[in-house]
Amino acid sequence: MPPESLTPPSRPFTAGRPGPVAVPPGQVAVRPEPAGTGPAPRRGPAPSSRGSGASGEQGTHGEPDAPGERGARGERDAAGPPGGSGPREDRVALAGRGPEQELLRRVLREARSGSGGTGTLLQGEAGIGKTALLDWAHAEARALGFTVLRAVGSEAEAGVTFGALHQLLWPLTDRMRALPEPQRRALAFALGEGAEPARGGFLVGAAVLALLAGEARMRPVLVLVDDLQWVDSSSAAVFAFLQRRTGEVPLAFVGAGRPEGPAAEGRPGTVVGLTALGGEDARTLLRARHPHLSVTTADRILREAAGNPLALVELPVHLHPDQARGVMPLPRRFPLGGRLERLFAPRLDRLSGEAARVLLHAALGGTAAMWAIPAWPAGLAPDRADEVLDEIESSGLARLEPDGRLTFRHPLVRGAVVARASGPQRRAAHRALAAALPYDDPRRLGHEADATLLPDDDLAGRLQEAGRRLALRGGDAEGALLLHRAAVLSTDAQARARRLTWAAAMAARGGRLPYAAKLVEELRRAPVPADSAPLHAYAVVYVDQSHHVDFASSFTLLPQALDALARTGAGAGPFDDLAEQVYFKLLLASVYTGDPRGWAVLRAHRHQVSPLADLCRRAWSDPARTAHGAGAELRATARTMSQEQQAGAAWLLLWTATALDMADASLWRRFLGQHAYATQGSIAKAGVHQDYLRGEWDRAEVCLREAEAADALGYHCNALLFRNHYASFLAGRGDEEGLLAVEEAIRPPAARARMTFVEDHLTHLRALAALAHGRDEEAYSALAALTPPGVLPAALPWFHLPFFDFVEAALRTGRTAEARAHVAAGGAARMEDISPHHAFLLAAARALAAADEDADALYEAAYAVPGAEQWAFELARLRLAHGAWLRDRRRPRAGEVLEQALDTFRALGARPWAERTERELRAARTRTEGPASLTAQELRIARLAADGLTNKEIGTRLGLSPRTVGGHLAKTFPKLGIASRAALARALEGTGA
């Protein structure tokens, strides 16, 4: 129970209002509504007022709902009768949003039918109508029988680990008992209700998905998350995880956020940019809300609002009635700013001091279920309580919900309240809010830090410990904020540097790369203590690699860090596996650049890390000579690891599997519960690579969406690599124009970073596109520059990908000896012992380069390689080569094999390959149809039948039974394209047979 000083004073209210009730922790209840005016107050902690229904851009395109119009929204809305009370749908106020409404209808239909889909993000500036569409979707979903779960981000709560997730899941907490114990424990701890940490948060995403899947068995689920730009990082990562998995359960995910705010981690499948309303739609909205405006006034407001729905609704409110009617001149400049907070300034200025203090406490205290603090300030006279609440509601800036919670009329009000308060006023409010919380509560620490102007070592130490605890719960990004505050409050320079180093490393690992880069820059201004040097190196390199796309520091700082860790041991707390993480960062740099210095250090320190880390090194460093047995070893390792071990080793497992083209669902989906963007980014890269190899080419656009998301998060190296993967689809389809555009975008930054990994891959893709268009000499020259005949270079860790292409290009240009030398090199390297894909590519190349007498058997052997059917594009090319070989030799199976290849090429959209296959198929049909396709015996029988002999007579002459003669003729008719004996003479005419 919060201190009485922050609770409304107990006194009789007027006009039948009951006295104040006890406020449960996590609720901003100020007073209950009179009986019968709304739902009864909830028992226990309530979700955020915004998360439970008081959404950001309220009502319709930014206009507030009437007080009490909405019920609490964190409830399981669909439990009541469909179409019951809930968010209202206003057709007029949603003018101009028809396409968006239809999209949301489709999302709901797909979720309801179980056909799955992707998440949807409504994106636009403040006041553009995002929340209005969420309200509309809320009402639409309830009418369809959905469970609707809602959460809203808050700027004051952006540093609260899993705060928004707690809002979202509050209505389902009673269902957590049904989860498997590891998931239940991890989710309970993440929500602050458990006693054991979930290391790295790796089970939280999976637990949330399981919880929602359980609800979805009874009714489809709609998840609505508003103001994503202010959602805490941990919750945002889980929401991103849910967006990626919406196709697996009857679940729809719709979020809304501003484009200029911090990006949520990952992006949903569909981003809907909400733009300003067009002229007619804007005029319709303005007239509907303010029908008494004069024509001249309406025209001026339309110009000033520029199609922003909130401005259209709000600007007339500030006019004098005579100005609205056109009697008085309009102001020279309307108070319309970039974020529109100034729209609320006049109303804020008219508030009494007591009312302003109540709003300031609510704005700074936040209202999420985990972090909400009663907004009533100490010192407010009892006889003023009722009057102040009436004043707040009359201002239109906030309202009292039926269940007694204070709700801001618009998220911009919160910002305006804080902006207009003076520094001393804000610090006083923070001190009061801190006093309402337990001594070691991270929320209290945050308020104390905001109220402090001078260094304070005691507070700094408490902030550091709280940040460490958050990191152990998977809240690296939020922990980084506390460590940074601890550094600022430190009096000792070395303690400050240590805390700043921890903050930088945690921010990087938590997916806040731009923030981490800022902290790293701050670290450069002073020496780093020796005991923090390895962690400092990790943080600097993380930022350089992922954010700046620069690998130079990797080869100077990381070797020193590994040496130091070898002498002193591993890190501590959230970084107790620091040696392994440093080793992996050096491995990444070595793979991307091929720098021999990195490989030498990795070999020297291989005994300092786990067997899995060394397996990853072997899979990438020189696979033709070091990766034998790696595929089997990877599967065995994954089978024997516990879930917690798998989570800690997720990057190593994924990267090893990617090197071997083994990152299939049975492996990498184990780690989707680990929701931080860094891991999700690795999973996504592995996924799009597998999509290309396995013929899921309709997912090519995912690469571009992932690239945009990575850029928004500051993961510029990931963005470059996603575009590099997209180039594979373009090359496979023979889209040379698209390939050139991607190459022009990514080759220059790759060259600056000396990323031979990307540069060589682009060279390979240009050769593949040239092969598609029949420019065989060009293709051979490019491929030979990468991998000379008979040489499998160590500097090309993915040597197997161009292996088959090289053999094909060599044979097409008449270089049979070079092709066979390359096949021999693959055999000598025992490619088949590396991975299933390596084995298939070697078998396919052997078939292409084989002598005539062995070729057919070797083609069949390639088809028989376990898993061969999964490599769709390469298998189709093998069939094309086999069909052409059969056609040249007039073998009857040519058409069948070519048709299989053609079906695949058409499905992939590989137009040049399909056209070539069609030409081969036409040639095969020309050669196999007609008399030339008959066997000698069939031709003799056909000729005799054409002369008029019966089956019996033919049989007597040739020593065959009449039945056998009939069987031969049955085969002959289709080959000659006829249906009767009468047509035989004409079909055989001119053959000389």
Side-chain angles (χ1 to χ4, degrees):
M1 181 70 65
E4 188 175 351
S5 62
L6 291 180
T7 306
S10 177
R11 73 171 188 83
F13 284 142
T14 60
R17 287 178 177 162
V21 295
V23 183
Q27 194 167 341
V28 190
V30 181
R31 70 182 185 211
E33 283 292 308
T37 63
R42 299 173 61 95
R43 295 182 179 178
S48 158
S49 59
R50 291 192 67 224
S52 60
S55 305
E57 294 134 335
Q58 295 294 336
T60 55
H61 279 317
E63 187 178 28
D65 297 321
E69 185 168 347
R70 297 190 193 184
R73 294 232 185 95
E75 302 169 39
R76 199 168 304 131
D77 293 317
S85 62
R88 63 192 172 111
E89 176 187 349
D90 193 312
R91 301 290 181 182
V92 173
L94 287 180
R97 299 303 185 207
E100 292 82 1
Q101 289 173 282
E102 184 52 40
L103 171 67
L104 293 175
R105 284 192 189 95
R106 186 168 68 250
V107 167
L108 294 175
R109 285 197 301 268
E110 290 174 353
R112 193 182 187 195
S113 68
S115 60
T118 58
T120 303
L121 172 65
L122 307 175
Q123 193 175 76
E125 65 177 348
I128 204 67
K130 303 182 293 295
T131 303
L133 278 167
L134 292 187
D135 290 347
W136 181 89
H138 190 140
E140 194 84 357
R142 287 188 59 184
L144 293 172
F146 276 69
T147 291
V148 181
L149 302 172
R150 193 158 185 175
V152 185
S154 165
E155 192 169 18
E157 301 160 11
V160 183
T161 305
F162 294 116
L165 184 66
H166 196 287
Q167 287 184 52
L168 189 79
L169 298 184
W170 172 254
L172 301 181
T173 50
D174 57 327
R175 302 284 179 85
M176 286 172 53
R177 292 189 297 270
L179 293 175
E181 181 61 20
Q183 292 183 349
R184 187 200 63 74
R185 189 169 62 249
L187 185 54
F189 187 82
L191 300 182
E193 300 172 4
E196 297 182 25
R199 285 296 306 277
F202 72 97
L203 283 177
V204 176
V208 173
L209 183 64
L211 189 65
L212 296 182
E215 177 69 14
R217 294 189 189 99
M218 296 178 289
R219 57 179 67 86
V221 175
L222 172 64
V223 172
L224 299 174
V225 182
D226 204 355
D227 281 341
L228 276 168
Q229 75 275 2
W230 288 329
V231 166
D232 61 281
S233 178
S234 299
S235 297
V238 175
F239 295 156
F241 167 63
L242 292 178
Q243 292 165 10
R244 297 175 188 275
R245 307 299 291 276
T246 53
E248 299 185 11
V249 295
L251 167 68
F253 185 102
V254 182
R258 299 186 194 176
E260 76 275 8
E265 300 190 8
R267 288 292 187 205
T270 303
V271 178
V272 181
L274 296 183
T275 57
L277 295 178
E280 282 304 310
D281 291 325
R283 189 175 295 277
T284 299
L285 175 59
L286 183 63
R287 285 294 181 193
R289 294 303 174 198
H290 301 284
H292 304 299
L293 292 176
S294 70
V295 173
T296 55
T297 301
D299 288 343
R300 173 74 187 279
I301 289 175
L302 287 169
R303 290 197 302 272
E304 295 285 346
N308 183 286
L310 179 61
L312 289 165
V313 171
E314 282 294 311
L315 284 174
V317 173
H318 303 282
L319 297 176
H320 188 279
D322 286 343
Q323 289 176 322
R325 294 196 305 270
V327 176
M328 291 175 54
L330 293 171
R332 185 174 62 85
R333 182 175 178 180
F334 281 73
L336 178 61
R339 289 191 170 187
L340 306 180
E341 282 93 347
R342 282 182 290 170
L343 289 173
F344 308 106
R347 278 183 272 181
L348 288 170
D349 289 341
R350 288 194 293 270
L351 290 176
S352 66
E354 293 96 332
R357 283 164 57 204
V358 169
L359 289 181
L360 181 59
H361 280 226
L364 294 176
T367 54
M370 290 176 63
W371 286 63
I373 302 169
W376 205 262
L380 183 61
D383 59 352
R384 287 275 294 150
D386 202 34
E387 183 179 346
V388 167
L389 293 171
D390 284 337
E391 180 186 359
I392 290 172
E393 287 193 300
S394 298
S395 73
L397 295 169
R399 68 171 181 269
L400 208 63
E401 295 287 352
D403 58 1
R405 289 173 290 107
L406 187 66
T407 299
F408 281 108
R409 166 255 181 281
H410 190 281
L412 297 177
V413 176
R414 187 191 303 271
V417 167
V418 175
R420 297 188 71 78
S422 67
Q425 288 172 331
R426 290 194 295 270
R427 289 191 291 275
H430 281 299
R431 283 192 293 271
L433 292 166
L437 290 163
Y439 180 75
D440 60 348
D441 193 310
R443 297 168 291 175
R444 176 179 181 132
L445 296 174
H447 286 299
E448 287 185 23
D450 286 335
T452 301
L453 292 176
L454 300 175
D456 185 332
D457 282 326
D458 176 67
L459 179 56
R462 290 162 58 210
L463 284 165
Q464 175 180 317
E465 178 57 25
R468 186 192 69 83
R469 292 198 304 269
L470 285 178
L472 287 173
R473 286 175 52 195
D476 280 305
E478 296 82 3
L481 295 172
L482 296 186
L483 264 295
H484 191 190
R485 287 184 171 187
V488 171
L489 293 172
S490 302
T491 59
D492 179 73
Q494 289 207 327
R496 179 184 180 281
R498 288 190 188 95
R499 287 162 176 161
L500 202 59
T501 300
W502 272 64
M506 289 164 65
R509 198 170 66 173
R512 294 293 179 88
L513 273 179
Y515 178 46
K518 174 185 174 183
L519 296 178
V520 165
E521 283 303 310
E522 195 172 340
L523 278 168
R524 297 186 194 276
R525 300 171 192 161
V528 174
D531 58 1
S532 295
L535 187 59
H536 173 258
Y538 173 79
V540 170
V541 167
Y542 203 126
V543 168
D544 281 351
Q545 287 186 1
S546 298
H547 187 59
H548 299 308
V549 197
D550 185 348
F551 298 91
S553 62
S554 302
F555 303 107
T556 57
L557 296 179
L558 297 183
Q560 298 172 18
L562 286 172
D563 288 340
L565 291 169
R567 293 191 302 270
T568 62
F575 292 94
D576 57 4
D577 60 345
L578 183 57
E580 195 107 321
Q581 295 190 44
V582 168
Y583 192 88
F584 179 70
K585 286 296 174 189
L586 184 57
L587 175 63
L588 285 184
S590 302
V591 169
Y592 287 145
T593 67
D595 195 310
R597 294 176 297 170
W599 294 120
V601 172
L602 291 167
R603 283 194 301 273
H605 286 274
R606 65 185 183 277
H607 302 300
Q608 190 177 339
V609 295
S610 66
L612 178 58
D614 189 51
L615 175 62
C616 191
R617 177 193 66 83
R618 287 168 40 213
W620 281 105
S621 62
D622 184 8
R625 283 154 283 275
T626 62
H628 299 110
E633 194 173 336
L634 174 66
R635 291 193 188 282
T637 300
R639 280 196 302 268
T640 58
M641 293 176 73
S642 68
Q643 284 185 313
E644 187 165 333
Q645 288 172 325
Q646 290 170 350
W651 290 359
L652 290 168
L653 282 162
L654 285 167
W655 257 74
T656 307
T658 299
L660 304 171
D661 298 334
M662 294 175 61
D664 58 13
S666 67
L667 181 65
W668 59 263
R669 280 188 181 174
R670 299 170 186 237
F671 316 114
L672 283 172
Q674 186 157 280
H675 50 74
Y677 174 77
T679 303
Q680 286 296 312
S682 293
I683 290 168
K685 284 183 290 186
V688 296
H689 180 55
Q690 291 304 111
D691 288 340
Y692 170 73
L693 293 177
R694 302 191 180 187
E696 300 290 338
W697 289 13
D698 57 336
R699 292 180 51 78
E701 299 301 319
V702 170
C703 297
L704 297 182
R705 291 199 295 270
E706 292 286 358
E708 291 170 3
D711 267 333
L713 289 163
Y715 278 79
H716 301 309
C717 187
N718 266 9
L720 187 154
L721 292 168
F722 277 118
R723 294 183 176 102
N724 185 48
H725 283 300
Y726 182 62
S728 296
F729 295 94
L730 297 173
R733 286 176 167 153
D735 182 356
E736 293 187 295
E737 183 178 351
L739 179 61
L740 178 61
V742 172
E743 183 170 4
E744 289 176 345
I746 68 175
R747 190 181 278 275
R752 285 194 296 272
R754 299 182 180 179
M755 292 181 72
T756 56
F757 182 91
V758 172
E759 292 183 280
D760 289 345
H761 184 242
L762 290 172
T763 299
H764 169 216
L765 295 181
R766 276 195 281 115
L768 180 59
L771 270 181
H773 290 280
R775 299 196 307 275
D776 304 331
E777 193 65 42
E778 176 186 332
Y780 178 82
S781 297
L783 292 166
L786 289 178
T787 173
V791 177
L792 308 179
L796 200 66
W798 40 272
F799 78 92
H800 63 295
L801 296 181
F803 183 85
F804 178 75
D805 303 337
F806 176 89
V807 172
E808 182 175 5
L811 291 169
R812 283 206 209 173
T813 57
R815 294 178 173 91
T816 304
E818 288 87 339
R820 289 175 176 170
H822 218 60
V823 171
R830 305 195 332 268
M831 282 177 62
E832 67 274 13
D833 293 338
I834 297 175
S835 81
H837 194 203
H838 287 75
F840 172 74
L841 291 171
L842 177 61
R846 276 178 173 154
L848 255 65
D852 262 13
E853 60 272 18
D854 302 320
D856 205 22
L858 289 175
Y859 277 112
E860 296 300 330
Y863 298 145
V865 171
E869 66 283 349
Q870 65 187 306
W871 318 114
F873 180 49
E874 291 153 341
L875 180 60
R877 289 170 57 196
L878 181 67
R879 284 177 170 148
L880 170 57
H882 189 198
W885 183 88
L886 291 169
R887 189 264 302 167
D888 283 343
R889 288 148 189 81
R890 299 186 178 183
R891 302 288 179 86
R893 286 187 54 224
E896 174 190 343
V897 175
L898 289 168
E899 283 172 355
Q900 289 177 305
L902 182 59
D903 288 344
T904 300
F905 289 137
R906 284 174 173 168
L908 296 175
R911 184 181 53 80
W913 294 97
E915 289 174 353
R916 183 181 165 206
T917 308
E918 288 168 349
R919 290 194 297 271
E920 290 288 347
L921 196 53
R922 285 194 297 270
R925 286 171 176 161
T926 300
R927 287 200 174 191
T928 57
E929 290 175 357
S933 65
L934 303 180
T935 65
Q937 185 76 305
E938 289 170 346
L939 188 57
R940 284 194 293 270
I941 292 172
R943 193 61 184 157
L944 292 172
D947 289 341
L949 275 67
T950 65
N951 288 1
K952 184 176 181 181
E953 292 169 339
I954 296 170
T956 300
R957 183 172 296 191
L958 299 179
L960 301 172
S961 71
R963 184 188 298 273
T964 301
V965 172
H968 281 296
L969 286 174
K971 295 177 182 177
T972 299
F973 289 179
K975 291 182 179 182
L976 296 177
I978 60 175
S980 68
R981 298 169 80 99
L984 274 171
R986 186 174 62 255
L988 296 174
E989 187 176 1
T991 65

